[in-house]
């Protein structure tokens, strides 16, 4: 393909450069609008500059990729609500035999979770938990954060649903889920082992000595209680609402006496319910037992008028129950509660309360198993070679139907900004392809990067590695995918499939090179920096010192396995 007209080439390069700057540096001082708006701006400029027509822009949007991405997001949200990530997190600290054992577990758990639930989701839900476990055991957070970020990237290379660039490759190439898994999974296993060994060698001295202070901050066990670690909830929305709900109202000035059932209310308060229906069941449960077991006598009130009213009406009895910071207050209990038949009333209400609680527990258990079985069904359908996009969407709709509540609360957690970013990126990259520049550059490199020779594979890997860190991995796949596949198809059909798998492996592992190479790296960095009480700043240079040797070694070892497939 020859170059387009000079105005189209120049304007297309301008639009793509603006997109690239805002995608790689979303908070640039002159236009801090973020990646999503930056991708839409690049797409709009491609149309305004007449690089492509509006019809061509709409046609550039790949709906199957967006459908697959949306479906996997919804499934991941339900798995998180079903405590799947809590169980994975508990595996990190269960019968741990020391710092090195903990580091190994972080690598394995994050790799497996990323292959099934995407690397970005894994990093979001596990970062703060890993920070707490490290602080509790007097361990430096850096090796564990690097283990999480790097292993999540490597593990996500094993499946088409592990990361966005693999979604693109699977849809564009037509490679089935099973073929993808067989081709890359062995490389992922060896890569995780190699990455773990590099981490252990690099941080052996730090992991062998317990440190009481780092930067003047105590890491002792008193920082995190065992109960807090095991009951940690992973949803970012819940992290931001971690403030206590036990505070008294302004009208109460003295401590209040709690009964045994108030302690039960506290237990319910700390529990995360799976749906709005669960919340209502808990509220009705506590309301049913309010007359018998949850009474708080107010000893002091805010004003003489309130005090006088209390003298006239008798003691005021207040029942409080909270679930997700919601409360139900029942005032002025009937006088017959003081009668002689109060014992029988207590027994009846207690039985009702236990029955309602038992039903609620069974509903939660059944709902969780339904979520797990639906997810397993989705994975089985993918392995059987069914359409990946519609399989993921079908699983998402089944989970929404099984929830028996309004789907709005769940759908609000979907990252629509990421879907919009992909739409803008599809248009921008397609417009840049129409300038003819990518083809011209590829024609210069293609004769030396054919995958039928070791030198060609090495050169191709270097090109993918560099471009993935300069232009990000998803645009790299969109720019190089069809060209690399066409070059390999001239050799043999098997070589074409191998070329797609090489692109998937190298573009994914390339994210470990620098802190900016992968969104998962940035998620770990930001989550760790903002973590309350356990914050840690993972710097660019500290990541680079580990990332360069790890990326080169893991990429090389994995390539030897992938090309032998």
């Amino acid at each position: 393909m020859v170059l387009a007209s000079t105005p189209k080439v120049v304007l297309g390069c301008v639009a793509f450069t603006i997109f690239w700057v805002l995608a790689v540096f979303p908070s640039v001082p002159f236009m801090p609008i973020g990646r999503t708006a930056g991708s839409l701006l690049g797409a709009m400029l491609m149309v305004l500059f007449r690089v492509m027509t509006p019809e061509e822009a709409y046609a550039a949007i790949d709906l199957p990729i967006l459908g697959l991405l949306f479906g996997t997001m919804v499934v991941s949200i339900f798995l998180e609500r079903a405590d799947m990530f809590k169980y994975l997190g508990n595996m990190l600290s269960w019968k741990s035999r020391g710092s090195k054992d903990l580091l190994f577990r972080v690598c394995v758990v994050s790799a497996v979770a990323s292959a099934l639930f995407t690397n970005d989701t894994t990093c979001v839900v596990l970062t703060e938990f890993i920070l707490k476990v490290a602080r509790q055991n007097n361990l430096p957070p850096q090796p564990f954060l690097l283990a999480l970020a790097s292993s999540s990237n490597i593990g996500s290379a094993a499946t088409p649903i592990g990361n966005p660039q693999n979604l693109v490759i699977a849809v564009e190439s037509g490679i089935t889920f099973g073929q993808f898994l067989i081709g890359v999974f062995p490389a992922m296993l060896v890569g995780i082992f190699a990455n773990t060994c590099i981490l252990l060698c690099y941080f052996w001295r730090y992991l062998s000595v317990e440190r009481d202070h780092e930067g003047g901050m105590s890491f002792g066990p008193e920082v995190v209680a065992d109960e807090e670690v095991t009951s940690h909830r992973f949803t970012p929305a819940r992290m931001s609402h971690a403030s206590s709900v036990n505070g008294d109202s302004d009208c109460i000035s003295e401590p209040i006496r709690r009964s045994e059932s108030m302690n039960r209310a506290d237990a319910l308060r700390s529990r995360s319910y799976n749906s709005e229906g669960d919340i209502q069941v808990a509220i009705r449960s506590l309301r049913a037992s309010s007359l018998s077991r949850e009474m708080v006598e107010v000893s002091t009130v805010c004003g003489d008028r309130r005090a006088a009213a209390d003298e006239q009406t008798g003691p005021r009895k207040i029942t409080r129950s909270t679930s997700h910071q919601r409360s139900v207050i029942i005032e002025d209990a009937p006088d017959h509660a003081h009668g002689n038949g109060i014992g029988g009333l207590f027994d009846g209400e207690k039985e009702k309360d236990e029955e309602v609680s038992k039903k609620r527990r069974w509903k939660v258990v059944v709902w969780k198993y339904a979520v797990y079985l639906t997810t397993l069904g989705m994975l089985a359908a993918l392995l059987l070679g069914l359409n990946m996009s519609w399989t993921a969407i079908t699983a998402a709709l089944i989970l929404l139907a099984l929830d028996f509540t309004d789907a709005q609360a769940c759908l609000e957690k979907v990252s629509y900004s990421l879907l919009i970013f992909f739409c803008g990126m599809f248009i921008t990259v397609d417009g840049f392809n129409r300038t003819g520049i990518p083809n011209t550059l590829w024609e210069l490199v293609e004769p030396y990067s054919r995958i039928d020779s070791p030198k060609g594979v090495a050169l191709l890997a270097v090109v993918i590695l560099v471009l993935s860190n300069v232009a990000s991995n998803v645009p790299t796949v969109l720019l190089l995918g069809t060209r690399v596949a066409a070059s390999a198809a001239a050799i043999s059909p098997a070589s074409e499939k191998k070329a797609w798998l090489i692109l998937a492996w190298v573009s994914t592992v390339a994210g470990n090179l620098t802190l900016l190479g992968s969104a998962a790296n940035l998620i770990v960095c930001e989550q760790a920096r903002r973590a309350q009480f356990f914050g840690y700043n993972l710097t660019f240079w500290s990541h680079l010192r580990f990332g360069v040797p790890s990326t080169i070694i893991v990429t090389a070892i994995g390539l030897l396995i992938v090309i032998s497939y």
Side-chain angles (χ1 to χ4, degrees), residues 484-513:
V484 172
S487 175
I491 303 172
S492 68
S495 297
E496 181 182 3
K497 183 189 297 183
K498 189 179 299 182
W500 282 111
L501 296 179
I502 290 174
L503 181 60
W505 173 255
V506 179
S507 64
T508 300
V509 179
N512 287 337
L513 186 66

Side-chain angles (χ1 to χ4, degrees), residues 206-376:
Y206 296 93
L207 297 174
S208 300
V209 180
E210 290 190 358
R211 301 189 302 168
D212 294 329
H213 298 279
E214 181 178 288
M217 186 175 184
S218 174
F219 287 3
E222 69 278 4
V223 174
V224 190
D226 290 339
E227 182 179 349
E228 183 179 1
V229 172
T230 56
S231 64
H232 175 65
R233 310 301 299 184
F234 299 106
T235 306
R238 293 173 191 155
M239 293 177 187
S240 62
H241 294 82
S243 58
S244 174
V245 296
N246 297 335
D248 298 330
S249 64
D250 295 336
C251 295
I252 300 177
S253 60
E254 293 184 5
I256 59 176
R257 178 176 56 84
R258 294 189 176 194
S259 65
E260 180 183 356
S261 59
M262 285 295 286
N263 292 331
R264 178 178 175 277
D266 287 340
L268 287 173
R269 186 176 6 266
S270 64
R271 186 179 303 163
S272 176
Y273 296 99
N274 292 301
S275 66
E276 185 69 23
D278 294 337
I279 295 173
Q280 297 301 327
V281 170
I283 291 176
R284 288 195 297 268
S285 170
L286 290 175
R287 179 182 293 164
S289 61
S290 61
L291 295 179
S292 61
R293 299 196 306 162
E294 296 186 346
M295 298 182 180
V296 180
E297 294 189 2
V298 180
S299 57
T300 305
V301 292
C302 295
D304 294 339
R305 182 179 303 173
R306 185 73 175 272
D310 285 344
E311 290 177 0
Q312 295 176 1
T313 60
R316 181 176 298 270
K317 298 172 184 179
I318 302 176
T319 298
R320 298 190 176 195
S321 65
T322 62
S323 176
H324 286 286
Q325 301 183 0
R326 303 186 183 201
S327 63
V328 177
I329 301 178
I330 303 175
E331 298 184 348
D332 298 327
D335 292 338
H336 66 75
H338 298 282
N340 295 330
I342 193 169
L345 180 62
F346 281 3
D347 293 338
E349 295 296 341
K350 182 178 180 180
E351 290 178 359
K352 290 181 180 179
D353 183 44
E354 291 177 352
E355 183 179 353
V356 171
S357 298
K358 186 176 181 179
K359 286 183 178 180
R360 192 196 65 81
R361 285 196 299 269
W362 273 107
K363 285 182 179 180
V364 171
V365 171
V366 171
W367 180 84
K368 285 184 178 181
Y369 277 107
V371 172
Y372 299 152
L373 291 175
T374 302
T375 305
L376 290 176

Side-chain angles (χ1 to χ4, degrees), residues 165-179:
Q165 63 268 21
N166 281 9
L167 296 177
V168 175
I169 290 173
V171 173
E172 295 291 331
S173 66
I175 298 176
T176 65
F177 190 95
Q179 291 173 335

